[in-house]
Amino acid sequence: MISAILLGFLFAILLVFAGKFFKGKFAVLSSLIPLGLFVYFLQFIPEIMEGNVVKESYNWVPSFGVNLGFTLDGLSLLFCLMITGIGFLVFAYTSVYLHHHKYLDRFYGYLSVFMAAMLGLVLSDNVISLFTFWELTSISSFFLIGFNNTQEASRKSALTALGITGLGGMFLLAGVIVLGNITGTFSIAEMLNMSPELIKGHEYYTVAVILLFGAAFTKSAQFPFHFWLPGAMKAPTPVSTYLHSATMVKAGIYLVMRFTPVLGGEEIWNTTLIVVGAVTMLYSAFHSLFRTDLKGVLAYSTISALGILMFLIGMGTTESFTAAAVFIIVHALYKATLFLTTGIIDHQTGTRDVTVLSGLRKVLMPVGIAAIIAAISSAGIPPTIGFLGKELTYEATMHAPIIATLLVVGIVITKILLLWAGFVAGIKPFQGSLPESLKDTKMPGPFMWVPPILLAVLSLVFGIMPFIIEGSLIKPVVSALGGESGEIHLALWHGFNTVFILSLVTIAVGTTLYFVLKPSAKLETAVGKLEAASPKSLMEKFNVGFTYLSSFWTRVFQNGYLRNYVFIIIFFLIGMVGYTMIGNTKFNIDPSILSNVSFYELVVFIIMCIAILFTVFTSSRLSAVVAMGVVGLTICLVFVFYSAPDLAMTQFSIDTLTVILFVLVLYRLPRYLKIQDHKMRIRDGILSLMFGGLIAVLALEVLSEPVNTEIGDFYAENSYIMAHGKNVVNVILVDFRGADTMIEISVLTIAAIGVFGLLKLRLKRTDRVQ
Amino acid sequence: MKTIILRTASNYLLPVLLLFSIFILLRGHYLPGGGFVGGLIAAIAFVFHSFANGLKNTKSLLRFHPGFLMPAGLALSFFSGLSPIIFAGDPFMTGLWYHGHVPVLGSVGSALFFDMGVYLVVVGVTLTIIFTISEAP
Amino acid sequence: MEILLAILVGLLYASGIYMILRRSLVKLIIGIILLGNGANLLIFLLGRITKGLPPIIPENSKVFLEAYADPVPQALILTAIVISFGLQSFAIILVKRAHKVVRTDDLDEMNATDEDS
């Protein structure tokens, strides 16, 4: 399995070198990769049907208990087949959709990285690697959404999507770490083997659940995090098809499903999922009424479908799990078809405005057939699998654990609105008379129109013969979720009962609505006024405010005046250290440890004080440099007095060289500025004296503490024995801490090269600062 | 500053100071001194010479740009640190020693070569900086 | 003497900061050098000062026979002195170069970031 995951990454790397090949005529060959993976995963079906689980494990970071474990069970298999199957069609479709695009190779690279990350996500057994792949899907989707990186809207949407899903990633990381702490393992399989009471009774159970929900709701675009998804539709249509309807947004669903047997069944788990799912499905289903962009309609209906899935999982019964499993397939099939047909319409006519498009059946007949079947499946009209999905959903909702009646009303309304959305996207563009402007529309190449047809046909086949997926996919998924897979029996005809009546009502009302309510620009602008209060604009306002705050902050504190920076830093340092020292300073230096002051020491002290003051207050640069040299020499004397001959020698040589250096450049350096600003001088003087005083007091305080000479003693004792040297300072430099000295001389070299470069490097005329 | 006395003196001072700097370098392991100080003294000797005789003369005396001393010294230090890995299989920077008494130096080990590398780098760095600055317009 | 040295360190820090706070480029460098000297002296002082006993093992002996000055701060300061020379020369040249390009030695006039210029 690991090779299956790595294949996508390897292909992306290959594209760096062989990009030209896949950009031209042979672009369609890249679809062989997902096709091969699809076949590879198909062969696992018999094994999964028997109820087995395929496992693989590699050591990754064994010291932290992180293994690269992969598990293939019913749930993973369903997602793997969707990822690779739809992936194959999208890869092929793209070869025409972005035919001869300048960056087609780049696009395939992102797409295959995404596919590989998604496979890794659904196959990971270890939650840490699950998180890693989760983040990879966010990142690759960022590149895909922002693929048209010359458009500002596209970049903005990509950032929004990355921001929201990245936030979710943080939640996920925190969540799995909390979960790891609760269970003591990072393996999902081991969590499943633990007794559920142990996890659910844990005090951090709620925290873990909330964090995981944070991850799932952001990724799967649940209210109020839904707004990134419509924005993500700025991406090329294959991306919308693949990521934002069929796979990535389902990662959140996958996460919730994966953890249902571990964490599910508690009230907080079920109620949150039902409420959030229900709000999302109704909210966005209503919103889809007000879109005129085909992709906008589809985006909102996708969010609504994701809401339905959350809602179904939240009910936590075998019936609802079955409905969810079926609905995932239903939705993936019809939504991918509709996106692909929308892409064809967009590609061939140049518009996605549903109010303009009509009568396209005359020019795009095969596409129209696929779209209409998908619309029917979306509406839940037999004999498509959509009907099956809807029946199961109604059935499960009627037996909901809480407020069943209200939920049934909600789901019926949602389904009616979704029916409308499906019809608008799938039937509307092909209906009626063909306007003049669209007369020249041509059929695209077969790689573009065959994929939607294939998907649409599958919708029909699964609907007529549901037993194909019953044993192979649905039952393993339900048992992976912890449901009783024995009870499941899928059939198109359930008999004449309440559910059937509800279905009839849905179809009747929905179709009527379709004929009554036409999408119009007026409605879109009307609802646009409400945007101000939507989560999206709230976040944007927050962003704007934050930017404003930071630029204000920068203006105040980063104003480019060096002395302001230094002043503020020193001021706060004095404030904080001084505040701590008030009351903590003891001043109890033991006089016996102090050495006596001899006469020559006093002389040196006085010379040094004078030299320092002279350096500061002289108005001549040369005198300042000379005085500074005197300061250096007196320090050298201090080293001589207090047993540091090496230091004295070094200080002496360096002091000589510094003075030489200064003298060499002095007359090329600017003269002192004559700025008479007494107030400023006094202010700075006070600050400097306070700082100097602080350092002096600090030094005395440290001197009053006992000294630890352990390190020095170690070096001193071992200097001759281990390093054959008697000058301990030198032995430390060249032997004990030789690596440090190595770095130090490297730094010196860099400084010398820097000086050389600054003086010898002559900028080209064009680069010169004007 | 190009007086006759200074020029004459510096001609003799240069070899004496250089010899002194090497002396300081070699005795560093036992008495005050070492690569840093030695290198600085050697650099001062050359700077002094250049003051008296002009930069051109000093440069022609050196025959190569002092900047080349920096990589040479770095390489010497690095390989002396590397030698225990190559010859003894010990970790990086382990001291290797020739057991036996060498006149003048005492004992010879990898640390001595390391110090020589430091010496070369310091001479190179200092001279590069000062020569570059004195040449600059 | 420790008290006198502490005062000296304080004075070096104070004068260093004062010079850095001035608007002239040359004073900035002098300030940095003074501050560096102060820091060296501070480390030296905090390592406790000992008179007349350098950390050098006497001849004919393999270990120290009497008290000795702590070699660790000395090793630290030795590298610091040499490094600060590299820093100073680089700073001097940078100032010279900046002065040549911007044609001002007033630090306050050098407050434009790259983006603005």
Side-chain angles (χ1 to χ4, degrees):
Chain A
M1 272 184 278
I2 191 167
S3 43
I5 298 168
L6 285 178
L7 190 63
F9 292 120
L10 290 178
F11 181 62
I13 295 171
L14 175 75
L15 278 174
V16 176
F17 304 106
K20 273 218 177 98
F21 179 77
F22 287 102
K23 235 193 287 202
K25 278 183 200 158
F26 302 100
V28 75
L29 285 183
S30 59
S31 62
L32 289 178
I33 297 212
L35 180 65
L37 290 173
F38 183 68
V39 173
Y40 170 78
F41 283 113
L42 272 184
Q43 53 145 349
F44 282 105
I45 287 185
E47 207 171 335
I48 301 294
M49 274 175 82
E50 284 170 25
N52 291 338
V53 174
V54 188
K55 279 185 183 171
E56 251 176 56
S57 182
Y58 304 90
N59 275 341
W60 189 13
V61 194
S63 45
F64 288 123
V66 180
N67 293 326
L68 211 52
F70 296 106
T71 309
L72 185 71
D73 63 356
L75 184 58
S76 308
L77 184 66
L78 171 66
F79 275 90
C80 284
L81 290 175
M82 266 171 26
I83 293 161
T84 52
I86 297 179
F88 161 58
L89 299 176
V90 167
F91 269 67
Y93 180 89
T94 309
S95 69
V96 185
Y97 188 84
L98 291 178
H99 190 53
H100 287 309
H101 191 284
K102 205 165 133 200
Y103 295 124
L104 181 59
D105 53 340
R106 204 185 274 181
F107 188 83
Y108 274 131
Y110 298 149
L111 212 56
S112 56
V113 165
F114 168 77
M115 184 181 70
M118 201 62 207
L119 283 177
L121 169 63
V122 297
L123 287 172
S124 287
D125 174 53
N126 187 291
V127 285
I128 299 290
S129 65
L130 186 141
F131 160 77
T132 313
F133 287 118
W134 177 283
E135 290 290 71
L136 266 176
T137 62
S138 296
I139 292 167
S140 48
S141 89
F142 166 75
F143 286 118
L144 285 166
I145 297 170
F147 184 67
N148 294 320
N149 52 15
T150 48
Q151 294 167 11
E152 200 196 339
S154 167
R155 293 198 301 267
K156 207 171 149 192
S157 312
L159 264 181
T160 313
L162 184 71
I164 296 292
T165 52
L167 181 77
M170 302 284 179
F171 280 127
L172 181 62
L173 181 61
V176 296
I177 288 173
V178 171
L179 203 58
N181 272 337
I182 295 175
T183 57
T185 173
F186 285 127
S187 159
I188 297 173
E190 283 174 33
M191 288 177 193
L192 283 172
N193 286 337
M194 293 173 68
S195 83
E197 284 72 34
L198 204 77
I199 302 172
K200 288 170 192 167
H202 198 278
E203 52 178 329
Y204 291 136
Y205 167 76
T206 323
V207 179
V209 168
I210 289 170
L211 289 169
L212 285 180
F213 278 170
F217 292 167
T218 46
K219 195 81 158 183
S220 287
Q222 297 297 295
F223 186 86
F225 303 113
H226 62 279
F227 53 88
W228 69 266
L229 188 56
M233 294 300 157
K234 296 282 183 301
T237 306
V239 177
S240 312
T241 315
Y242 194 30
L243 275 68
H244 305 124
S245 66
T247 56
M248 187 179 90
V249 288
K250 298 244 169 73
I253 305 289
Y254 169 81
L255 187 77
V256 174
M257 286 176 126
R258 179 50 81 205
F259 283 103
T260 295
V262 182
L263 300 168
E266 291 292 297
E267 194 170 333
I268 174 171
W269 177 273
N270 290 356
T271 316
T272 315
L273 283 178
I274 291 177
V275 171
V276 171
V279 169
T280 308
M281 70 189 187
L282 277 167
Y283 174 88
S284 45
F286 267 113
H287 259 271
S288 66
L289 290 182
F290 306 107
R291 306 290 140 186
T292 53
D293 181 357
L294 276 177
K295 269 175 130 182
V297 174
L298 289 174
Y300 276 99
S301 69
T302 303
I303 300 173
S304 181
L306 293 168
I308 294 174
L309 282 171
M310 284 289 176
F311 164 83
L312 284 173
I313 302 165
M315 280 189 280
T317 57
T318 302
E319 271 178 332
S320 70
F321 290 154
T322 317
V326 173
F327 191 63
I328 287 178
I329 300 174
V330 172
H331 179 252
L333 290 176
Y334 84 70
K335 194 50 67 66
T337 313
L338 287 179
F339 264 111
L340 290 178
T341 58
T342 303
I344 294 173
I345 294 171
D346 189 16
H347 192 255
Q348 301 305 116
T349 67
T351 178
R352 295 198 305 257
D353 190 340
V354 75
T355 54
V356 176
L357 295 164
S358 69
L360 287 175
R361 67 180 183 283
K362 288 167 190 155
V363 279
L364 296 172
M365 196 54 198
V367 182
I369 291 171
I372 289 164
I373 294 174
I376 288 173
S377 181
S378 136
I381 297 172
T384 58
I385 189 177
F387 175 70
L388 207 68
K390 191 176 58 175
E391 297 274 289
L392 287 167
T393 310
Y394 284 172
E395 181 94 42
T397 314
M398 282 169 66
H399 302 146
I402 48 164
I403 48 169
T405 330
L406 197 62
L407 292 176
V408 168
V409 174
I411 191 93
V412 169
I413 293 175
T414 309
K415 286 281 180 185
I416 290 170
L417 297 172
L418 282 184
L419 182 147
W420 182 88
F423 276 16
V424 165
I427 298 181
K428 174 87 181 33
F430 300 97
Q431 212 185 8
S433 56
L434 190 69
E436 266 317 294
S437 56
L438 299 177
K439 279 262 159 62
D440 299 335
T441 313
K442 290 191 176 61
M443 272 298 283
F447 284 122
M448 238 170 139
W449 61 263
V450 171
I453 294 263
L454 271 177
L455 289 171
V457 168
L458 276 183
S459 284
L460 273 179
V461 170
F462 289 162
I464 297 165
M465 295 179 278
F467 56 85
I468 300 178
I469 52 170
E470 183 190 296
S472 59
L473 293 172
I474 305 302
K475 279 186 178 177
V477 170
V478 174
S479 61
L481 281 167
E484 297 290 328
S485 57
E487 298 172 9
I488 302 169
H489 180 68
L490 300 184
L492 202 56
W493 177 247
H494 275 268
F496 193 82
N497 50 18
T498 331
V499 172
F500 188 69
I501 294 170
L502 285 176
S503 276
L504 284 181
V505 170
T506 311
I507 294 169
V509 177
T511 319
T512 320
L513 187 70
Y514 172 66
F515 285 112
V516 174
L517 183 75
K518 296 288 175 198
S520 73
K522 217 188 257 173
L523 275 172
E524 194 170 22
T525 31
V527 81
K529 284 173 190 154
L530 294 174
E531 279 286 292
S534 74
K536 183 183 177 182
S537 41
L538 285 182
M539 198 192 86
E540 274 168 2
K541 272 176 201 154
F542 173 77
N543 280 353
V544 170
F546 203 78
T547 319
Y548 182 76
L549 180 72
S550 6
S551 62
F552 168 76
W553 188 263
T554 313
R555 263 201 316 281
V556 173
F557 287 101
Q558 309 278 320
N559 52 12
Y561 295 104
L562 177 72
R563 54 204 178 87
N564 276 22
Y565 297 157
V566 177
F567 190 88
I568 289 169
I569 291 170
I570 300 294
F571 186 78
F572 277 93
L573 195 70
I574 294 173
M576 285 189 292
V577 179
Y579 177 77
T580 326
M581 280 172 65
I582 293 172
N584 288 330
T585 317
K586 293 189 285 286
F587 282 120
N588 57 346
I589 300 179
D590 181 7
S592 63
I593 63 156
L594 296 181
S595 50
N596 298 326
V597 184
S598 61
F599 174 69
Y600 55 87
E601 282 167 350
L602 195 65
V603 171
V604 167
F605 171 75
I606 291 167
I607 294 176
M608 195 154 156
C609 288
I610 294 171
I612 293 172
L613 294 177
F614 193 74
T615 314
V616 174
F617 292 111
T618 179
S619 59
S620 144
R621 292 168 301 168
L622 192 62
S623 346
V625 169
V626 172
M628 211 174 55
V630 174
V631 174
L633 288 179
T634 43
I635 289 179
C636 176
L637 281 179
V638 171
F639 290 147
V640 171
F641 295 156
Y642 296 103
S643 348
D646 287 287
L647 289 188
M649 289 160 81
T650 316
Q651 175 78 29
F652 181 78
S653 330
I654 288 289
D655 204 45
T656 316
L657 283 170
T658 311
V659 173
I660 290 176
L661 198 67
F662 254 107
V663 170
L664 279 176
V665 287
L666 195 65
Y667 288 101
R668 303 200 192 97
L669 283 178
R671 285 177 188 286
Y672 275 177
L673 281 176
K674 293 265 186 289
I675 299 168
Q676 299 292 342
D677 187 350
H678 283 290
K679 251 189 217 163
M680 206 62 115
R681 281 176 166 232
I682 291 166
R683 186 198 75 170
D684 293 347
I686 291 172
L687 186 85
S688 312
L689 282 178
M690 279 171 71
F691 185 62
L694 183 78
I695 297 289
V697 172
L698 215 57
L700 290 175
E701 270 302 289
V702 175
L703 283 176
S704 67
E705 298 293 325
V707 64
N708 182 352
T709 57
E710 205 178 319
I711 305 167
D713 289 341
F714 169 81
Y715 288 141
E717 275 162 29
N718 293 302
S719 171
Y720 191 74
I721 295 161
M722 282 166 74
H724 302 260
K726 290 189 170 175
N727 179 0
V728 185
V729 176
N730 189 269
V731 169
I732 291 176
L733 285 178
V734 300
D735 205 324
F736 288 127
R737 309 296 309 168
D740 292 347
T741 312
M742 184 78 217
I743 308 288
E744 198 211 336
I745 54 179
S746 313
V747 172
L748 275 180
T749 311
I750 293 166
I753 294 172
V755 170
F756 189 77
L758 270 175
L759 284 178
K760 296 272 173 172
L761 187 81
R762 287 279 169 268
L763 291 176
K764 278 183 225 151
R765 191 159 287 280
T766 46
D767 297 342
R768 207 181 283 250
V769 180
Q770 295 300 316
Chain B
M1 275 195 284
K2 291 180 186 175
T3 62
I4 300 240
I5 299 174
L6 187 62
R7 207 180 311 166
T8 319
S10 70
N11 280 338
Y12 294 100
L13 265 178
L14 179 66
V16 172
L17 275 177
L18 280 182
L19 216 60
F20 179 65
S21 76
I22 290 170
F23 166 70
I24 291 282
L25 159 73
L26 293 182
R27 74 173 208 151
H29 228 53
Y30 292 89
L31 294 161
F36 282 109
V37 189
L40 289 171
I41 291 172
I44 289 174
F46 281 111
V47 171
F48 197 53
H49 187 263
S50 79
F51 273 17
N53 297 311
L55 192 59
K56 266 191 189 145
N57 287 322
T58 317
K59 275 199 151 179
S60 65
L61 197 73
L62 265 173
R63 283 165 207 281
F64 55 89
H65 194 280
F68 291 111
L69 289 173
M70 302 190 290
L74 276 178
L76 183 60
S77 292
F78 187 70
F79 281 111
S80 80
L82 217 57
S83 60
I85 302 179
I86 299 166
F87 297 117
D90 287 333
F92 187 60
M93 286 281 174
T94 315
L96 279 186
W97 292 93
Y98 167 72
H99 296 285
H101 195 78
V102 179
V104 186
L105 292 178
S107 46
V108 174
S110 58
L112 182 69
F113 291 97
F114 186 85
D115 220 5
M116 285 177 187
V118 173
Y119 175 90
L120 291 180
V121 172
V122 171
V123 176
V125 166
T126 319
L127 288 184
T128 306
I129 291 173
I130 294 204
F131 284 4
T132 315
I133 289 173
S134 8
E135 279 171 0
Chain C
M1 189 62 194
E2 277 85 349
I3 295 172
L4 290 187
L5 279 181
I7 293 170
L8 267 184
V9 170
L11 196 60
L12 280 169
Y13 268 88
S15 52
I17 289 294
Y18 181 78
M19 292 298 261
I20 288 176
L21 286 172
R22 306 269 57 78
R23 282 165 68 175
S24 160
L25 274 175
V26 184
K27 286 193 176 180
L28 172 70
I29 297 172
I30 294 178
I32 291 173
I33 296 176
L34 287 176
L35 208 59
N37 278 332
N40 286 344
L41 209 54
L42 180 68
I43 299 172
F44 190 62
L45 175 64
L46 295 188
R48 301 300 186 275
I49 48 176
T50 319
K51 240 182 221 179
L53 295 163
I56 292 168
I57 301 172
E59 216 155 326
N60 309 324
S61 166
K62 289 189 175 179
V63 286
F64 282 99
L65 303 173
E66 49 184 348
Y68 52 90
D70 192 348
V72 177
Q74 294 197 16
L76 282 176
I77 297 167
L78 200 140
T79 46
I81 293 173
V82 181
I83 283 282
S84 63
F85 174 71
L87 175 77
Q88 285 157 19
S89 42
F90 190 77
I92 291 175
I93 302 310
L94 198 62
V95 162
K96 185 171 172 278
R97 184 82 188 180
H99 173 61
K100 217 172 152 187
V101 172
V102 190
R103 308 219 169 276
T104 175
D105 59 334
D106 186 352
L107 275 170
D108 279 13
E109 284 171 30
M110 290 192 184
N111 64 349
T113 52
D114 295 344
E115 285 166 38
D116 299 337
S117 60

